[in-house]
Amino acid sequence: PRPARPESPSSDSTASGGGGGGGGRLFEVGSWEELDNFDSDDLWTSKAFIALAPASGKDGSSGSDGSQDESEEEESSGRKRRAAAGAAGKAYGWLGDEYRSARRIPDLASARKHVAGLLTELEAATGVRLGGAETVLEGEEPDEFWDLFSLG
């Protein structure tokens, strides 16, 4: 099942719990917030996201432990960084149509260059090590991208 192109999400998707049903992870571009319990309705046409497939299991690295006795905001940030740290599988840079239009990204070549920069930002902000990337444009999503949203 392929989702309609939502103008806005139907619900808040940042509740605690697992990611999408396919075992992937989803990060909102800009804030680099990792969305929990995400589904295809979270893909706003005015935004961009980085979806990560699960790591292949070759690299057994994990995130660091960090202190939990800081302020609530720092604790939340620390949890996000620890959850994000470590190896990831293939990355998909999804660009919504309105997002592309607002940033004057006219074609796939420009989109690929933009996504490459976003992946570098994600890696710097979260510590996630990426294993390859595919640029995904709204309305042209491959099946393996949708597999990360299998419950959505």
Side-chain angles (χ1 to χ4, degrees):
R2 301 296 179 254
R5 296 187 210 191
E7 295 298 321
S8 63
S10 57
S11 63
D12 179 17
S13 299
T14 58
S16 63
R25 300 167 70 186
L26 188 66
F27 293 86
E28 183 177 339
V29 167
S31 70
W32 301 116
E33 176 183 356
E34 182 172 4
L35 281 68
D36 293 328
N37 296 320
F38 61 87
D39 64 20
S40 57
D41 289 337
D42 291 306
L43 298 176
W44 293 18
T45 190
S46 62
K47 295 189 177 193
F49 295 88
I50 304 296
L52 303 179
S56 64
K58 289 187 279 186
D59 181 350
S61 66
S62 62
S64 64
D65 281 333
S67 173
Q68 291 297 316
D69 60 352
E70 301 171 23
S71 74
E72 188 170 323
E73 182 177 71
E74 289 170 336
E75 286 179 17
S76 176
S77 176
R79 282 192 300 268
K80 286 179 189 172
R81 286 191 178 259
R82 282 192 308 283
K90 185 173 183 177
Y92 296 89
W94 183 89
L95 305 180
D97 288 342
E98 291 178 16
Y99 177 91
R100 287 180 50 221
S101 178
R103 285 156 185 80
R104 295 189 174 103
I105 302 170
D107 54 30
L108 185 56
S110 299
R112 285 183 177 140
K113 184 175 180 180
H114 186 77
V115 166
L118 295 177
L119 294 175
T120 300
E121 288 180 36
L122 173 67
E123 199 167 276
T126 65
V128 171
R129 291 190 313 266
L130 304 172
E134 181 175 337
T135 298
V136 178
L137 305 180
E138 182 177 2
E140 300 176 19
E141 297 89 348
D143 288 340
E144 57 270 11
F145 174 80
W146 290 126
D147 289 346
L148 300 174
F149 298 82
S150 67
L151 291 182

